[in-house]
Amino acid sequence: MTIPFTPWPAELIERYIENGYWIDEPLTDIVARHCADPVSASRTALICQQRQFSYAELNRLSDALAHHLHAQGFQAGDTAVVQLPNVAEFYIVFLALLKVGIVPVNALFNHKQLELRAYVKQVQPSLMVVSERHQLFKNESFVSELNAETPTIRNWLVEGDARFGTSLTEILMAQQKARGAEMADFTSTPATEVAFFQLSGGSTGTPKLIPRTHNDYYYSVRASAEICQLDTDTVYLCALPAPHNFSLSSPGAFGVFYAGGTVVLATDPSAMSCFPLIHKHRVTMTALVPPAVTLWLQAASDFQNYLTSLNVLQVGGARLSESLAKQITPVLGCQLQQVFGMAEGLVNYTRFDDDSWHVFNTQGRPICKDDEIKIVDEQGNEVPDGIAGALLTRGPYTFRGYFNSPAHNVSAFDTDGFYRSGDIVKRTTTGYLIVVGRDKDQINRGGEKIAAEEIENQLLVHEAVTNAALVAMPDTVMGEKSCAFVTTTDPALKAITLRKHLRAQGVAEYKLPDRIEFVAHLPMTPVGKVDKQQLRQTIQQTLIIKKEKDV
Ligand code: OOB
């Protein structure tokens, strides 16, 4: 059994193999490749608080868990929904699932009922892997609900205290003792098939899943490791959520594992959490979103000499302002690398030998010469360099279709199979991209993506809400925050009531509107759609007037 996905056309597959991008190796090779040689195997792969794991240990533990799952009857083509915080078990579980060919969705730890339900509904998992540290899994009520709604779920693995399901820690301990008893008779899915689902930032009512094959993902990992010059001396701090494409593969933990370096896990990207870890483990490289950069710049003076080992700070996920970019080297003492990527595929990097103009003002250039880029105007015609247009792309690690979404895929791709990224960019004559805006209905809240329609739908569930539109409003730290314009039948309806309502619907906290404006009616465009452009201007004006009043 394999997971259905939209394949690349035969002639492109041929090109990607011929050019050495697709090497027919499973993603588990990223760690396993170090284990044949004793010196490489003994290097530290992962540090999670007090625990350290060598490459041999990481491989052995994931083998042990794979054995257990296989013995339980799980097999290639099964799916799993995993939600773990930044802990070593995230990689152990991920590798174990890949070894058995179980295809996971790695949910973010700040996701709640709404998101988890959407993933469960789409992949119909046989396995759930969760953490008791998450509020939802402190008791069994949501577990019982999901079990009742999802007959395919056969087992729950729980990180931490298992009040239900099976304790992950106990399995790992028991299996490690029994190791070597019998040979493995499980294999991953073929490298040409889906290895796991990446999460889309989304612009539609339900979160979309991105099938990533071993071949395409492994290529992006290897090429990123090379561009970022990773080697066995690299010590990478994973401060963003571990499942995110940036911290997983750009080059992220997988890139570092591939190169034989060390990944240090931080619970969150705050300076308080990260600076002591950088100091203690002599971290050389890390990745942040712009709001965290602002906080690091503010905190740096209190932590003199904590950051001396840091060579590279990657920044991506949202637009970094030129003024922030210019402060990074003088204040933090390291080099800046801008990264413009997407879970759907395409990743752009500024290169270490670029001049400072490119590093401060562009979001880099694509990984691969076979990343094809189209920048088009509203009629779909390509625009010259220097002119802003919508970014479309296809290439050896850019997907060809969302999972089980035929209708949406028609509009998400052009007829040549180019993915419409929803970003408005300009290309320089040197081939670098500058992100200038967006034409997708999404809010980028400091790197965290909110699909407007998803929240509008949840607002409409409230009986007193007759219409709702979510738009971005500018924010000095986050870049953007969200503002909901709402029409209602109840003049006494309060913002706090609506926020409570959204929480009760199980919406992740970062998606709650930062501001709610009650209005008599929503402005409409001539074609009868809500005029979001006008709403964005309205809220900007309101904020300017408020600021003037405040001073
Ligand atoms: C990364 O991935 P996603 O899937 O969370 O979000 C992708 C979207 C892009 O389409 C773009 O709108 C925005 O996030 N974005 C940026 C950016 N990097 C991403 N906008 C402006 N400047 C940047 N540097 O966010 C992601 C995936 C891999 C590596 C880095 C980021």
Side-chain angles (χ1 to χ4, degrees), residues 199 201 244-246 250 315-320 338-344 347 363 421 423 435 438 440 442 444 447 449:
L199 307 177
H244 193 269
N245 213 45
F246 192 7
S250 308
V315 184
R319 180 71 201 263
L320 177 70
Q338 295 218 35
V339 188
F340 162 41
M342 52 201 74
E344 284 81 358
V347 182
Q363 279 64 59
S421 72
D423 293 308
V435 183
R438 195 180 318 131
K440 54 189 165 189
Q442 185 186 76
N444 189 340
K449 315 299 179 332

Side-chain angles (χ1 to χ4, degrees), residues 72-280:
Q72 297 273 306
F74 291 99
Q75 54 188 4
D78 280 337
T79 56
V81 172
V82 179
Q83 188 190 40
L84 293 173
N86 280 13
V87 287
E89 283 75 5
F90 171 77
Y91 303 107
I92 297 169
V93 168
F94 198 178
L95 291 166
L97 297 178
L98 291 171
K99 283 179 179 176
V100 189
I102 304 171
V103 177
V105 177
N106 297 312
L108 298 179
F109 200 63
N110 57 12
H111 282 155
K112 299 202 328 197
Q113 295 98 314
L114 184 77
E115 295 83 16
L116 293 179
R117 261 211 176 89
Y119 302 140
V120 165
K121 214 171 149 194
Q122 290 185 65
V123 303
Q124 295 289 307
S126 42
L127 178 68
M128 297 290 298
V129 186
V130 298
S131 170
E132 58 97 26
R133 302 177 212 211
H134 197 289
Q135 200 56 38
L136 270 181
F137 301 110
K138 298 254 182 252
N139 63 50
E140 250 181 90
S141 80
F142 185 52
V143 176
S144 309
E145 280 175 37
L146 273 186
N147 280 338
E149 291 163 15
T150 325
T152 50
I153 298 178
R154 290 179 18 221
N155 210 342
W156 289 74
L157 294 185
V158 186
E159 188 254 338
D161 251 358
R163 295 189 182 81
F164 56 88
T166 317
S167 157
L168 189 53
T169 322
E170 277 170 29
I171 298 171
L172 289 175
M173 273 164 39
Q175 286 288 323
Q176 235 196 334
K177 277 194 205 129
R179 86 186 128 96
E182 57 187 279
M183 280 301 290
D185 55 356
F186 50 81
T187 52
S188 67
T189 49
T192 48
E193 298 287 337
V194 180
F196 74 108
F197 293 104
Q198 204 29 295
L199 307 177
S200 164
S203 55
T204 60
T206 34
K208 294 275 180 289
L209 295 173
I210 303 158
R212 300 292 308 249
T213 64
H214 294 273
N215 267 339
D216 87 74
Y217 210 67
Y218 198 176
Y219 168 66
S220 74
V221 168
R222 289 195 318 276
S224 296
E226 191 176 325
I227 289 168
C228 299
Q229 301 173 10
L230 306 187
D231 58 26
T232 50
D233 292 332
T234 301
V235 182
Y236 173 86
L237 184 75
C238 178
L240 298 174
H244 193 269
N245 213 45
F246 192 7
S247 39
L248 188 60
S249 68
S250 308
F254 273 8
V256 176
F257 291 152
Y258 173 74
T262 303
V263 173
V264 179
L265 281 166
T267 50
D268 63 84
S270 68
M272 281 295 277
S273 298
C274 293
F275 286 7
L277 289 172
I278 294 172
H279 185 56
K280 182 168 176 198

Side-chain angles (χ1 to χ4, degrees), residues 252-412:
F254 273 8
V256 176
F257 291 152
Y258 173 74
T262 303
V263 173
V264 179
L265 281 166
T267 50
D268 63 84
S270 68
M272 281 295 277
S273 298
C274 293
F275 286 7
L277 289 172
I278 294 172
H279 185 56
K280 182 168 176 198
H281 300 295
R282 307 293 300 157
V283 166
T284 60
M285 178 177 184
T286 190
L288 292 179
V289 288
V293 175
T294 306
L295 300 177
W296 280 35
L297 290 170
Q298 286 164 0
S301 59
D302 297 337
F303 287 86
Q304 290 293 336
N305 303 326
Y306 267 62
L307 307 181
T308 51
S309 59
L310 197 63
N311 296 325
V312 178
L313 174 61
Q314 297 184 296
V315 184
R319 180 71 201 263
L320 177 70
S321 70
E322 187 186 347
S323 70
L324 219 51
K326 283 183 167 162
Q327 292 175 54
I328 288 173
T329 300
V331 179
L332 302 175
C334 58
Q335 195 173 350
L336 163 67
Q337 179 178 48
Q338 295 218 35
V339 188
F340 162 41
M342 52 201 74
E344 284 81 358
L346 180 72
V347 182
N348 304 272
Y349 296 99
T350 56
R351 306 304 203 260
F352 293 150
D353 55 1
D354 282 343
D355 60 37
S356 55
W357 185 87
H358 282 85
V359 175
F360 295 148
N361 295 286
T362 81
Q363 279 64 59
R365 65 178 158 89
I367 287 180
C368 180
K369 70 173 173 44
D370 281 306
D371 280 321
E372 297 174 75
I373 303 285
K374 271 191 216 173
I375 303 173
V376 303
D377 62 18
E378 277 170 17
Q379 283 71 47
N381 301 316
E382 291 201 42
V383 296
D385 288 346
I387 303 294
L391 169 68
L392 286 80
T393 183
R394 66 177 189 188
Y397 59 99
T398 296
F399 83 137
R400 305 286 298 206
Y402 290 104
F403 180 61
N404 264 347
S405 312
H408 181 61
N409 285 337
V410 172
S411 54

